[in-house]
Structure formats: C-alpha cells, structure tokens
Amino acid sequence: MKREPCASEVAPAAAALFAWGANSYGQLGLGHKEDVLLPQQLNDFCKPTCVRRITGGGGHSAIVTDGGSLFVCGLNKDGQLGLGHTEDVLYFTPCESLLGCPIQQVACGWDFTIILTEDGQVLSCGSNSFGQLGVPHGPRRCVVPQAIELLREKVVCIAAGLRHALAATVSGNVFQWGTGLASSGRRLCPGQTLPLFLTAKEPSRVTGLENSKPICVLAGSDHSALLTDAGEVYVWGSNKHGQLVTQAAFLPMPWKIEAHCFQNEKVTAIWSGWTHLVAQTGLLWLRA
C-alpha cells in the first residue's frame, strides 16, 4: 500500500502574486490595459514571499517589499507613481528616486500617493489640487516624492482618501491635510465652523483625541477613522452610507463607536474601503 505523506513531509506551495479586475490604466501590472475577469499571476518582478504590503488608489497600485523597496504601476497623469514623469506604467516598476531609502508603508489616494519611510518621515507625490500632498505652497502636482516638511514628529502610520490624507505619530498625535472632506462638511453642517483639520492644506492636528493614543489611521473617499491602543475606534467625516455607525449625516469631529457595536470585544485591527469599514476583534477582558 502506498503511504500518504504526513503534513510535515509535504512541501509548501510556492508563494505567488495574482491580480484581477478593472485595468484601464494598467494598474494590475500585467503589461496591458484590458480588464481581467479571473486572477492572473503577475510576472516575477520580486519574490512574492518578500512582499510586505499591497495597496491601490483610483487607478494606480503599489507594493512594498520586506527590504523596503517600492514598486508602482498604473495611472500616472499627475505623477502619482513618483517616477519623474506622467506616463502610465503597465508593469510594476521600482521607484528609483527612493532607492537607498527603505519604505515602511505606502497609501494610495485617488490621484496621489503618500509614502512612509522606515525612519518615520512622510513623502508625497501626485496631484495637489486639494492640498492632499501636505505642501500648501507647492505646485499643483509633483512627479517625484517630496518630504512633507511640516510633519516634524516621527510617523508610525499613514492613510490616503479621495482628496485627503492622515498620519499618526509615535507620540500619539494624528494629523490630517487636504480639503476632501470640507465640501461635504459645509453642505451637511450649515452655519457651523469646521475644525481646521478638515480645511487645511498642510498637516493639522486632529482635535478631540486628547485622552487616547491612536496606533492606526484610515481614510475612505470622504471619511476618516483610527484605532487606539485601547482597542477603540474613532470616526469622522461623511456618513452617507452609514459607515460611521451614527444617525448624523456628517461628523466634523472624531466620535467613538460604542463598544457594544462590537459585542463589547476589543478591536484589534480595522480596514477602510471607499465607503465602508471592517473591524477585527479580540475578547476584551473586563476587570471585576
């Protein structure tokens, strides 16, 4: 009788990267601009086992490797790929201007990109029409990543939405810039003065978080969110699709989602889509 190999004897399957879906600008990195209905394996531009993060924006994609290299592809009309030009790119291509500068995280907005280096510095490239690059007196677009000099604290996490961005610092402060939420806020909160962080074109500290320490920030098309070290979730911005778990149409200030919404479990991770949020929980142990 032939003996079946035990689990410890079975060779692990080789890691691979796959892409599918809309591909109008080559954002899948497959070398063409045709939409893809079934997952297709990407060419070997890097070892799949070395991929740290994958993210995408309105029409561009980015990958960060364990070694801190940044690969980009897709729509590039505003220089959001940071390659020094505005031509679309059909294959994942290394961002050569950042060679020797290890990258920790990248966040893709609609037409811009925010980049976090391993030493806690934040850079940006792409469209700056709404101040989303955090450089208030800079050009309307930037084709090479530039440092956001006004972020003087070490940053641990970044996020990019439709026309706004966020950064959380090691000291627990959260900064937001870009006017993407301002138009909705003015329309839905008539007669109310909006906080500066909703209208600033340079990093502005998000107020209302004085008694918490954010460890992760997120951005949707028209909302912002964060997770604290205590497992609490705060949200603000547009609630058009009910993503903020409130009856208000717009929240100008951070609002904590009540623990009972998560069955009184501690939130350990959160993710944001364009108009929705997802949370992962772990049991929250309460002291007697």
Side-chain angles (χ1 to χ4, degrees), residues 42-204:
L42 290 165
N43 293 329
D44 296 330
F45 65 92
C46 73
K47 293 181 179 179
T49 54
C50 293
V51 172
R52 177 189 296 167
R53 297 176 184 267
I54 303 175
T55 188
H60 66 297
S61 305
I63 287 177
V64 179
T65 69
D66 280 338
S69 296
L70 174 62
F71 291 82
V72 291
C73 68
L75 181 61
N76 194 36
K77 73 179 184 67
D78 290 300
Q80 55 262 58
L81 299 187
L83 300 176
H85 60 78
T86 57
E87 300 296 323
D88 294 350
V89 176
L90 306 185
Y91 294 98
F92 276 103
T93 301
C95 190
E96 294 186 356
S97 65
L98 297 176
L99 292 178
C101 178
I103 304 305
Q104 174 65 30
Q105 184 190 353
V106 60
C108 297
W110 182 256
D111 51 11
F112 68 104
T113 304
I114 305 294
I115 301 162
L116 174 63
T117 68
E118 289 190 352
D119 62 5
Q121 185 180 40
V122 181
L123 304 95
S124 61
C125 58
S127 172
N128 196 35
S129 298
F130 296 86
Q132 60 267 57
L133 297 189
V135 186
H137 304 297
R140 290 185 63 85
R141 70 181 185 186
C142 182
V143 300
V144 176
Q146 59 183 340
I148 302 179
E149 300 292 350
L150 294 176
L151 271 176
R152 298 184 177 92
E153 298 183 42
K154 182 177 180 180
V155 172
V156 296
C157 183
I158 56 173
L162 181 68
R163 292 166 176 165
H164 75 290
L166 301 106
T169 70
V170 69
S171 64
N173 287 321
V174 172
F175 293 87
Q176 181 170 307
W177 61 94
T179 61
L181 307 187
S183 59
S184 294
R186 294 189 183 100
R187 184 178 71 256
L188 298 172
C189 302
Q192 184 174 345
T193 300
L194 298 179
L196 180 60
F197 63 82
L198 292 184
T199 61
K201 294 184 177 182
E202 60 188 49
S204 177

Side-chain angles (χ1 to χ4, degrees), residues 13-35:
L17 290 173
F18 292 85
W20 65 96
N23 194 35
S24 303
Y25 309 102
Q27 62 263 47
L28 299 184
L30 296 169
H32 59 77
K33 292 187 176 183
E34 301 297 323
D35 291 352

